[in-house]
Coordinates of all heavy atoms in Angstrom, one line a residue:
M1 N 92.4 100.1 70.8 CA 91.1 100.3 71.5 C 90.1 99.2 71.1 O 89.4 98.6 71.9 CB 90.5 101.7 71.1 CG 89.4 102.1 72.0 SD 89.8 102.2 73.8 CE 88.2 102.3 74.5
N2 N 90.0 99.0 69.8 CA 89.0 97.9 69.3 C 89.4 96.5 69.9 O 88.6 95.8 70.3 CB 89.1 97.9 67.8 CG 87.8 98.4 67.2 OD1 86.8 98.6 67.9 ND2 87.8 98.8 66.0
L3 N 90.7 96.3 69.9 CA 91.2 95.0 70.3 C 90.8 94.8 71.8 O 90.4 93.7 72.2 CB 92.7 94.9 70.1 CG 93.3 93.5 70.1 CD1 92.9 92.8 68.8 CD2 94.8 93.6 70.2
L4 N 91.0 95.8 72.6 CA 90.6 95.7 74.0 C 89.2 95.4 74.2 O 88.8 94.6 75.0 CB 91.0 97.1 74.7 CG 90.9 97.1 76.2 CD1 92.2 96.4 76.7 CD2 90.9 98.5 76.7
L5 N 88.3 96.0 73.3 CA 86.9 95.8 73.4 C 86.5 94.4 73.1 O 85.7 93.8 73.8 CB 86.2 96.8 72.4 CG 84.8 97.2 72.8 CD1 84.8 98.2 74.0 CD2 84.0 97.8 71.6
I6 N 87.2 93.9 72.0 CA 87.0 92.5 71.6 C 87.4 91.5 72.7 O 86.7 90.6 73.1 CB 87.7 92.2 70.3 CG1 87.0 92.9 69.2 CG2 87.8 90.7 70.0 CD1 87.9 93.0 67.9
R7 N 88.6 91.8 73.4 CA 89.0 91.0 74.4 C 88.1 91.0 75.6 O 87.8 90.0 76.2 CB 90.4 91.5 74.9 CG 91.5 91.0 74.1 CD 92.9 91.4 74.6 NE 93.9 91.0 73.8 CZ 95.2 91.4 74.0 NH1 95.5 92.2 75.0 NH2 96.2 91.1 73.1
L8 N 87.5 92.2 75.9 CA 86.6 92.3 77.0 C 85.3 91.5 76.7 O 84.7 90.8 77.5 CB 86.2 93.8 77.2 CG 87.0 94.5 78.3 CD1 86.7 96.0 78.2 CD2 86.5 94.0 79.6
L9 N 84.9 91.6 75.4 CA 83.7 90.8 75.0 C 83.9 89.3 75.1 O 83.0 88.6 75.7 CB 83.3 91.2 73.5 CG 82.3 92.2 73.3 CD1 82.2 92.7 71.9 CD2 80.9 91.7 73.7
I10 N 85.1 88.9 74.7 CA 85.4 87.5 74.8 C 85.4 87.0 76.2 O 84.9 86.0 76.6 CB 86.7 87.2 74.1 CG1 86.6 87.3 72.5 CG2 87.2 85.8 74.4 CD1 87.9 87.3 71.8
F11 N 86.0 87.9 77.0 CA 86.1 87.6 78.5 C 84.7 87.4 79.1 O 84.4 86.5 79.8 CB 86.9 88.7 79.2 CG 87.0 88.4 80.7 CD1 87.9 87.5 81.2 CD2 86.2 89.2 81.5 CE1 88.0 87.3 82.5 CE2 86.3 88.9 82.9 CZ 87.2 88.0 83.4
A12 N 83.8 88.4 78.7 CA 82.5 88.4 79.2 C 81.7 87.2 78.8 O 81.0 86.5 79.6 CB 81.7 89.7 78.7
V13 N 81.9 86.8 77.5 CA 81.2 85.6 77.0 C 81.7 84.4 77.7 O 80.9 83.5 78.2 CB 81.4 85.5 75.5 CG1 81.0 84.1 75.0 CG2 80.6 86.5 74.7
L14 N 83.0 84.3 77.9 CA 83.5 83.1 78.6 C 83.0 83.1 80.0 O 82.7 82.0 80.6 CB 85.1 83.2 78.6 CG 85.7 82.7 77.3 CD1 87.2 83.0 77.3 CD2 85.5 81.3 77.0
F15 N 83.0 84.2 80.7 CA 82.5 84.3 82.0 C 81.1 83.8 82.2 O 80.8 83.0 83.1 CB 82.7 85.8 82.5 CG 82.2 86.0 83.9 CD1 83.0 85.6 85.0 CD2 81.0 86.6 84.2 CE1 82.6 85.8 86.3 CE2 80.5 86.7 85.5 CZ 81.4 86.4 86.5
F16 N 80.2 84.3 81.3 CA 78.8 83.9 81.4 C 78.6 82.4 81.0 O 77.8 81.7 81.6 CB 77.9 84.8 80.6 CG 77.7 86.1 81.2 CD1 78.2 87.3 80.8 CD2 76.9 86.2 82.4 CE1 78.0 88.5 81.4 CE2 76.6 87.4 83.0 CZ 77.2 88.5 82.5
A17 N 79.4 82.0 80.1 CA 79.3 80.5 79.7 C 79.8 79.7 80.9 O 79.1 78.7 81.2 CB 80.2 80.3 78.5
G18 N 80.8 80.1 81.5 CA 81.3 79.4 82.7 C 80.3 79.4 83.8 O 80.1 78.4 84.5
L19 N 79.7 80.5 84.0 CA 78.7 80.6 85.1 C 77.5 79.7 84.8 O 77.0 79.0 85.7 CB 78.2 82.1 85.1 CG 77.6 82.6 86.5 CD1 78.7 82.8 87.5 CD2 76.8 83.8 86.3
K20 N 77.1 79.7 83.5 CA 76.0 78.8 83.2 C 76.3 77.3 83.4 O 75.5 76.6 83.9 CB 75.6 79.1 81.7 CG 74.1 78.8 81.5 CD 73.7 79.0 80.1 CE 72.2 78.6 79.9 NZ 71.8 78.6 78.6
L21 N 77.5 77.0 82.9 CA 78.0 75.6 83.1 C 78.0 75.2 84.6 O 77.6 74.1 85.0 CB 79.3 75.4 82.5 CG 79.4 75.1 81.0 CD1 80.8 75.2 80.5 CD2 78.8 73.7 80.7
Y22 N 78.5 76.2 85.4 CA 78.6 75.9 86.8 C 77.2 75.7 87.4 O 77.0 74.8 88.3 CB 79.3 77.1 87.5 CG 79.5 76.9 89.0 CD1 80.3 76.0 89.5 CD2 78.8 77.8 89.9 CE1 80.5 75.8 90.9 CE2 79.0 77.7 91.2 CZ 79.8 76.7 91.7 OH 79.9 76.5 93.1
R23 N 76.2 76.5 87.0 CA 74.8 76.4 87.5 C 74.3 75.0 87.1 O 73.6 74.4 87.8 CB 74.0 77.5 87.0 CG 74.1 78.7 87.8 CD 73.1 79.8 87.4 NE 73.3 81.0 88.1 CZ 72.9 82.2 87.6 NH1 72.2 82.3 86.5 NH2 73.1 83.3 88.3
M24 N 74.5 74.6 85.8 CA 74.0 73.4 85.3 C 74.6 72.2 86.1 O 74.0 71.2 86.4 CB 74.4 73.2 83.8 CG 73.4 73.9 82.9 SD 74.1 74.1 81.2 CE 74.0 72.4 80.6
Y25 N 75.9 72.4 86.4 CA 76.6 71.3 87.2 C 76.0 71.2 88.6 O 75.7 70.1 89.1 CB 78.1 71.7 87.3 CG 78.9 70.8 88.2 CD1 79.2 69.5 87.9 CD2 79.3 71.3 89.5 CE1 79.9 68.7 88.7 CE2 80.0 70.5 90.3 CZ 80.3 69.2 89.9 OH 81.0 68.4 90.8
L26 N 75.7 72.4 89.2 CA 75.0 72.4 90.5 C 73.7 71.7 90.5 O 73.3 70.9 91.4 CB 74.9 73.8 91.1 CG 76.2 74.4 91.7 CD1 75.9 75.8 92.2 CD2 76.7 73.6 92.8
E27 N 72.9 72.1 89.5 CA 71.6 71.5 89.3 C 71.6 70.0 89.1 O 70.9 69.2 89.7 CB 70.8 72.1 88.1 CG 70.0 73.3 88.5 CD 69.4 74.0 87.3 OE1 69.2 73.3 86.3 OE2 69.1 75.2 87.4
W28 N 72.6 69.6 88.3 CA 72.8 68.1 88.0 C 73.1 67.4 89.3 O 72.6 66.3 89.6 CB 73.9 68.0 87.0 CG 74.3 66.6 86.8 CD1 73.6 65.6 86.1 CD2 75.5 66.0 87.2 NE1 74.3 64.4 86.1 CE2 75.5 64.6 86.8 CE3 76.6 66.4 87.9 CZ2 76.5 63.7 87.1 CZ3 77.7 65.5 88.2 CH2 77.6 64.2 87.8
Q29 N 74.0 68.0 90.1 CA 74.4 67.4 91.4 C 73.2 67.3 92.3 O 73.1 66.3 93.0 CB 75.5 68.3 92.0 CG 76.8 67.5 92.3 CD 77.9 68.3 92.9 OE1 77.6 69.4 93.3 NE2 79.0 67.7 93.1
Q30 N 72.4 68.4 92.4 CA 71.2 68.4 93.2 C 70.3 67.3 92.9 O 69.8 66.6 93.7 CB 70.5 69.7 93.2 CG 71.1 70.7 94.2 CD 70.3 72.0 94.2 OE1 69.6 72.3 93.3 NE2 70.5 72.8 95.3
S31 N 70.0 67.2 91.6 CA 69.0 66.2 91.1 C 69.5 64.8 91.4 O 68.8 63.9 91.6 CB 68.7 66.4 89.6 OG 69.9 66.1 88.8
R32 N 70.9 64.7 91.3 CA 71.5 63.4 91.5 C 71.4 63.0 93.0 O 71.0 61.8 93.3 CB 73.0 63.4 91.1 CG 73.5 62.2 90.5 CD 74.9 62.3 90.1 NE 75.7 61.1 90.4 CZ 77.0 61.2 90.7 NH1 77.6 62.3 90.7 NH2 77.6 60.0 91.0
S33 N 71.6 63.9 93.9 CA 71.6 63.6 95.3 C 70.2 63.4 95.8 O 69.9 62.7 96.8 CB 72.3 64.7 96.1 OG 71.6 65.9 95.9
S34 N 69.2 64.0 95.1 CA 67.8 63.9 95.5 C 67.2 62.6 95.0 O 66.2 62.1 95.5 CB 66.9 65.1 95.1 OG 66.9 65.2 93.7
E35 N 67.8 62.1 93.9 CA 67.3 60.8 93.3 C 67.8 59.6 94.1 O 67.1 58.6 94.2 CB 67.8 60.7 91.9 CG 66.8 61.3 90.9 CD 67.4 61.4 89.5 OE1 68.3 60.6 89.2 OE2 67.1 62.3 88.7
Q36 N 69.0 59.7 94.6 CA 69.6 58.5 95.3 C 68.8 58.0 96.4 O 68.6 56.8 96.5 CB 71.0 58.9 95.7 CG 72.0 58.5 94.6 CD 73.4 58.8 94.9 OE1 73.7 59.6 95.8 NE2 74.3 58.3 94.2
P37 N 68.3 58.8 97.4 CA 67.5 58.2 98.5 C 66.3 57.5 98.0 O 65.9 56.5 98.6 CB 67.2 59.4 99.4 CG 67.9 60.6 98.9 CD 68.4 60.2 97.5
E38 N 65.6 58.0 97.0 CA 64.4 57.4 96.5 C 64.7 56.0 96.0 O 63.9 55.1 96.3 CB 63.9 58.2 95.3 CG 62.9 59.3 95.7 CD 62.4 60.1 94.5 OE1 62.0 59.6 93.5 OE2 62.5 61.4 94.6
S39 N 65.8 55.8 95.3 CA 66.0 54.5 94.7 C 66.4 53.5 95.8 O 66.3 52.3 95.7 CB 67.2 54.6 93.7 OG 68.3 55.1 94.3
Q40 N 66.9 54.0 97.0 CA 67.2 53.2 98.1 C 66.0 52.7 98.8 O 65.9 51.6 99.3 CB 68.1 53.9 99.1 CG 69.6 53.8 98.6 CD 70.5 54.7 99.5 OE1 70.0 55.5 100.3 NE2 71.8 54.5 99.4
E41 N 64.9 53.6 98.8 CA 63.7 53.2 99.5 C 63.0 52.1 98.8 O 62.6 51.1 99.3 CB 62.8 54.4 99.6 CG 63.1 55.3 100.8 CD 62.3 56.6 100.8 OE1 61.1 56.6 100.3 OE2 62.9 57.6 101.2
S42 N 62.8 52.3 97.4 CA 62.1 51.2 96.6 C 63.1 50.7 95.7 O 63.7 51.4 94.8 CB 60.9 51.8 95.9 OG 61.3 52.9 95.2
A43 N 63.4 49.4 95.8 CA 64.4 48.8 94.9 C 63.9 48.9 93.4 O 62.7 48.6 93.2 CB 64.6 47.3 95.3
P44 N 64.7 49.2 92.5 CA 64.3 49.3 91.1 C 63.9 47.9 90.6 O 64.7 47.0 90.8 CB 65.5 49.9 90.4 CG 66.6 49.7 91.3 CD 66.1 49.6 92.7
M45 N 62.8 47.9 89.9 CA 62.4 46.6 89.3 C 62.7 46.5 87.8 O 62.7 47.5 87.1 CB 60.8 46.5 89.5 CG 60.4 46.6 90.9 SD 60.8 45.2 91.9 CE 59.5 44.1 91.6
V46 N 63.1 45.3 87.4 CA 63.4 45.1 86.0 C 62.6 43.9 85.5 O 62.1 43.1 86.3 CB 64.9 44.8 85.8 CG1 65.7 46.0 86.1 CG2 65.4 43.7 86.7
R47 N 62.3 43.9 84.2 CA 61.5 42.9 83.6 C 62.3 41.8 83.0 O 63.2 42.1 82.2 CB 60.5 43.5 82.6 CG 59.4 42.6 82.1 CD 58.4 43.4 81.4 NE 59.0 44.1 80.2 CZ 59.1 43.5 79.0 NH1 58.7 42.3 78.8 NH2 59.7 44.2 78.1
C48 N 62.0 40.6 83.3 CA 62.7 39.4 82.6 C 62.3 39.4 81.2 O 61.2 39.4 80.8 CB 62.4 38.1 83.3 SG 63.1 36.7 82.5
Q49 N 63.3 39.3 80.3 CA 63.1 39.3 78.8 C 62.4 38.0 78.4 O 61.8 37.9 77.4 CB 64.4 39.5 78.1 CG 64.9 40.9 78.1 CD 63.9 41.8 77.3 OE1 63.4 41.5 76.2 NE2 63.6 43.0 77.9
W50 N 62.5 37.0 79.2 CA 62.0 35.7 78.8 C 60.6 35.4 79.3 O 59.7 35.1 78.5 CB 62.9 34.6 79.4 CG 62.5 33.2 78.9 CD1 61.8 32.3 79.6 CD2 62.7 32.6 77.6 NE1 61.5 31.2 78.9 CE2 62.0 31.4 77.6 CE3 63.3 33.1 76.4 CZ2 62.0 30.5 76.5 CZ3 63.2 32.3 75.3 CH2 62.6 31.0 75.4
C51 N 60.3 35.7 80.6 CA 59.0 35.4 81.1 C 58.2 36.6 81.5 O 57.1 36.5 82.0 CB 59.1 34.4 82.4 SG 60.0 35.2 83.7
N52 N 58.8 37.8 81.3 CA 58.1 39.1 81.6 C 57.8 39.3 83.0 O 56.9 40.2 83.3 CB 56.8 39.2 80.7 CG 57.2 39.5 79.2 OD1 58.3 39.9 78.9 ND2 56.3 39.2 78.4
V53 N 58.4 38.6 83.9 CA 58.1 38.7 85.3 C 59.0 39.8 85.9 O 60.2 39.9 85.5 CB 58.4 37.4 86.1 CG1 58.6 37.6 87.6 CG2 57.2 36.5 85.9
H54 N 58.5 40.7 86.7 CA 59.2 41.8 87.3 C 59.9 41.3 88.6 O 59.3 40.7 89.4 CB 58.4 43.0 87.6 CG 57.9 43.7 86.4 ND1 56.9 43.3 85.6 CD2 58.4 44.9 85.8 CE1 56.8 44.1 84.6 NE2 57.6 45.1 84.7
C55 N 61.2 41.6 88.7 CA 61.9 41.2 89.9 C 62.9 42.3 90.2 O 63.3 43.1 89.4 CB 62.6 39.9 89.7 SG 63.7 39.8 88.3
P56 N 63.3 42.4 91.5 CA 64.3 43.5 91.9 C 65.6 43.4 91.1 O 66.1 42.3 90.8 CB 64.5 43.2 93.4 CG 63.5 42.2 93.8 CD 63.0 41.5 92.6
E57 N 66.1 44.6 90.9 CA 67.3 44.7 90.0 C 68.5 43.9 90.7 O 69.3 43.3 90.0 CB 67.7 46.1 89.9 CG 68.6 46.4 88.7 CD 68.9 47.8 88.6 OE1 68.1 48.6 88.1 OE2 70.0 48.2 89.0
E58 N 68.5 43.9 92.0 CA 69.7 43.3 92.6 C 69.6 41.7 92.6 O 70.7 41.1 92.7 CB 69.8 43.7 94.1 CG 68.5 43.5 94.9 CD 68.6 44.1 96.3 OE1 69.7 44.5 96.7 OE2 67.6 44.3 96.9
D59 N 68.4 41.2 92.3 CA 68.3 39.7 92.2 C 68.3 39.3 90.7 O 68.4 38.1 90.4 CB 67.0 39.2 92.8 CG 66.9 39.5 94.3 OD1 68.0 39.5 94.9 OD2 65.8 39.7 94.8
A60 N 68.3 40.3 89.8 CA 68.2 40.0 88.4 C 69.6 39.8 87.8 O 70.6 40.3 88.4 CB 67.4 41.0 87.7
L61 N 69.6 39.2 86.7 CA 70.9 39.0 85.9 C 70.9 39.9 84.7 O 69.8 40.0 84.0 CB 71.1 37.5 85.6 CG 71.2 36.6 86.7 CD1 70.9 35.2 86.3 CD2 72.7 36.6 87.3
R62 N 72.0 40.4 84.3 CA 72.1 41.3 83.2 C 73.0 40.7 82.1 O 74.1 40.3 82.4 CB 72.6 42.7 83.5 CG 72.3 43.6 82.4 CD 72.5 45.0 82.7 NE 72.0 45.7 81.6 CZ 71.7 47.0 81.5 NH1 71.9 47.7 82.6 NH2 71.3 47.6 80.5
E63 N 72.5 40.6 80.9 CA 73.2 40.0 79.8 C 72.9 40.8 78.5 O 71.8 40.9 78.1 CB 72.9 38.5 79.7 CG 73.8 37.8 78.7 CD 75.2 37.5 79.3 OE1 75.3 37.4 80.5 OE2 76.1 37.4 78.5
Q64 N 73.9 41.3 77.9 CA 73.8 42.0 76.6 C 72.7 43.1 76.7 O 71.9 43.3 75.8 CB 73.4 41.0 75.5 CG 74.6 40.1 75.2 CD 74.1 38.9 74.4 OE1 73.0 38.8 74.0 NE2 75.1 38.0 74.1
G65 N 72.7 43.8 77.8 CA 71.7 44.9 78.0 C 70.3 44.5 78.3 O 69.4 45.3 78.4
E66 N 70.1 43.2 78.5 CA 68.7 42.7 78.8 C 68.8 42.1 80.3 O 69.8 41.6 80.7 CB 68.3 41.6 77.9 CG 68.5 42.0 76.4 CD 67.4 42.9 75.8 OE1 66.8 43.6 76.6 OE2 67.3 42.9 74.6
W67 N 67.6 42.2 80.9 CA 67.5 41.7 82.3 C 66.8 40.3 82.3 O 65.9 40.0 81.5 CB 66.7 42.6 83.1 CG 67.5 43.9 83.4 CD1 67.4 45.1 82.8 CD2 68.5 44.1 84.4 NE1 68.2 46.0 83.3 CE2 68.9 45.4 84.3 CE3 69.0 43.2 85.4 CZ2 69.9 45.9 85.2 CZ3 70.0 43.7 86.2 CH2 70.4 45.1 86.1
F68 N 67.2 39.5 83.2 CA 66.6 38.1 83.4 C 66.4 37.8 84.8 O 67.2 38.2 85.7 CB 67.5 37.1 82.7 CG 67.7 37.4 81.2 CD1 68.8 38.1 80.8 CD2 66.8 37.0 80.3 CE1 69.0 38.4 79.5 CE2 66.9 37.3 79.0 CZ 68.1 38.0 78.6
C69 N 65.3 37.1 85.2 CA 65.0 36.7 86.6 C 66.0 35.6 87.1 O 66.2 35.5 88.2 CB 63.6 36.4 86.7 SG 63.1 34.9 85.9
S70 N 66.4 34.8 86.1 CA 67.3 33.7 86.5 C 68.3 33.3 85.4 O 68.1 33.7 84.3 CB 66.4 32.4 86.9 OG 65.7 32.0 85.7
A71 N 69.3 32.6 85.8 CA 70.3 32.2 84.8 C 69.7 31.3 83.8 O 70.1 31.3 82.6 CB 71.4 31.4 85.5
E72 N 68.7 30.5 84.2 CA 68.0 29.6 83.2 C 67.3 30.4 82.1 O 67.5 30.0 80.9 CB 67.0 28.7 84.0 CG 66.6 27.5 83.2 CD 65.3 26.9 83.8 OE1 65.0 27.1 85.0 OE2 64.6 26.3 83.0
H73 N 66.6 31.4 82.5 CA 65.9 32.2 81.5 C 66.9 33.0 80.6 O 66.7 33.2 79.4 CB 64.9 33.2 82.2 CG 63.7 32.5 82.7 ND1 62.8 33.1 83.4 CD2 63.4 31.2 82.6 CE1 61.8 32.2 83.7 NE2 62.2 31.1 83.3
R74 N 68.0 33.4 81.2 CA 69.0 34.1 80.4 C 69.6 33.2 79.4 O 69.7 33.5 78.2 CB 70.1 34.5 81.4 CG 71.3 35.3 80.6 CD 72.5 35.3 81.5 NE 73.0 34.0 81.9 CZ 73.8 33.7 82.8 NH1 74.3 34.7 83.6 NH2 74.2 32.5 83.1
D75 N 69.9 31.9 79.8 CA 70.5 31.0 78.8 C 69.5 30.6 77.7 O 69.8 30.5 76.5 CB 70.9 29.7 79.6 CG 72.0 30.0 80.5 OD1 72.7 31.0 80.4 OD2 72.2 29.2 81.4
R76 N 68.2 30.5 78.1 CA 67.2 30.1 77.1 C 67.0 31.3 76.1 O 66.9 31.0 74.9 CB 65.8 29.9 77.8 CG 65.7 28.5 78.3 CD 64.2 28.2 78.3 NE 63.9 27.4 79.5 CZ 62.6 27.1 79.8 NH1 61.6 27.7 79.2 NH2 62.4 26.4 80.8
Y77 N 67.0 32.5 76.6 CA 66.9 33.7 75.7 C 68.0 33.7 74.7 O 67.8 34.0 73.5 CB 66.8 34.9 76.6 CG 66.6 36.2 75.8 CD1 65.4 36.5 75.3 CD2 67.7 37.1 75.5 CE1 65.2 37.7 74.6 CE2 67.5 38.2 74.8 CZ 66.2 38.5 74.3 OH 66.0 39.7 73.6
I78 N 69.2 33.5 75.2 CA 70.4 33.6 74.3 C 70.4 32.4 73.3 O 70.7 32.6 72.1 CB 71.7 33.5 75.2 CG1 71.9 34.8 76.0 CG2 72.9 33.3 74.3 CD1 72.8 34.8 77.1
E79 N 69.9 31.3 73.7 CA 69.7 30.1 72.8 C 68.7 30.5 71.7 O 69.0 30.2 70.5 CB 69.2 28.9 73.6 CG 70.3 28.1 74.2 CD 71.3 27.6 73.2 OE1 70.9 26.9 72.2 OE2 72.5 27.8 73.4
E80 N 67.6 31.1 72.1 CA 66.6 31.5 71.1 C 67.1 32.6 70.1 O 66.8 32.6 68.9 CB 65.4 32.1 71.8 CG 64.5 31.0 72.4 CD 63.7 30.3 71.3 OE1 63.1 30.9 70.5 OE2 63.7 29.0 71.4
R81 N 68.0 33.4 70.6 CA 68.5 34.5 69.8 C 69.5 34.0 68.7 O 69.6 34.6 67.6 CB 69.2 35.5 70.7 CG 68.7 36.9 70.6 CD 69.5 37.8 71.3 NE 69.0 39.1 71.3 CZ 69.5 40.2 71.9 NH1 70.7 40.1 72.5 NH2 69.0 41.4 71.8
K82 N 70.2 32.9 69.1 CA 71.2 32.4 68.1 C 70.5 31.9 66.9 O 71.1 31.9 65.8 CB 71.9 31.2 68.8 CG 73.1 31.7 69.7 CD 73.8 30.5 70.3 CE 74.7 30.9 71.5 NZ 75.1 29.7 72.2
R83 N 69.3 31.4 67.0 CA 68.7 30.7 65.8 C 68.2 31.8 64.8 O 67.9 32.9 65.1 CB 67.4 29.9 66.3 CG 67.9 28.6 66.9 CD 66.7 27.9 67.6 NE 67.2 27.2 68.7 CZ 66.3 26.7 69.6 NH1 65.0 26.8 69.5 NH2 66.7 26.0 70.6
Ligands
ZN101 ZN1 62.3 34.9 83.8

């Protein structure tokens, strides 16, 4: 009798945990789908690590986790870092 009760409890806990995870997943999916159109309307801007000028992400270059407006600035930044 006790074993059955424990099994029922475990089942209930698993059920509610699964339900919560499923709801979190749905919320995550909703927030994701609502964010996407916004980013398409206004192109995300990134700051050049060398000259601090903001430029669209699609025109920028990425190197070692940093953004740069041009290949020249990227190379200069890397040169400065080496020293
Ligand atoms: Zn720059």
Side-chain angles (χ1 to χ4, degrees):
M1 192 60 192
N2 253 345
L3 201 71
L4 190 76
L5 209 74
I6 289 163
R7 276 185 188 172
L8 264 167
L9 263 169
I10 290 168
F11 179 78
V13 165
L14 281 174
F15 178 77
F16 281 109
L19 205 74
K20 209 182 172 183
L21 274 172
Y22 181 65
R23 277 189 189 159
M24 277 165 74
Y25 173 72
L26 281 181
E27 270 178 21
W28 171 74
Q29 235 181 8
Q30 269 184 345
S31 66
R32 217 177 138 211
S33 60
S34 62
E35 268 170 30
Q36 270 179 341
E38 268 177 50
S39 60
Q40 277 174 348
E41 276 172 35
S42 56
M45 302 291 275
V46 292
R47 192 168 58 88
C48 175
Q49 282 296 314
W50 184 258
C51 63
N52 288 339
V53 159
H54 287 79
C55 55
E57 200 179 281
E58 54 188 346
D59 295 332
L61 294 159
R62 193 169 189 165
E63 190 73 27
Q64 293 164 2
E66 312 281 23
W67 288 98
F68 302 95
C69 65
S70 61
E72 198 196 333
H73 286 177
R74 179 196 60 195
D75 294 341
R76 276 209 216 168
Y77 183 79
I78 289 164
E79 275 299 309
E80 282 289 311
R81 238 189 183 181
K82 275 183 196 163
R83 280 172 214 170

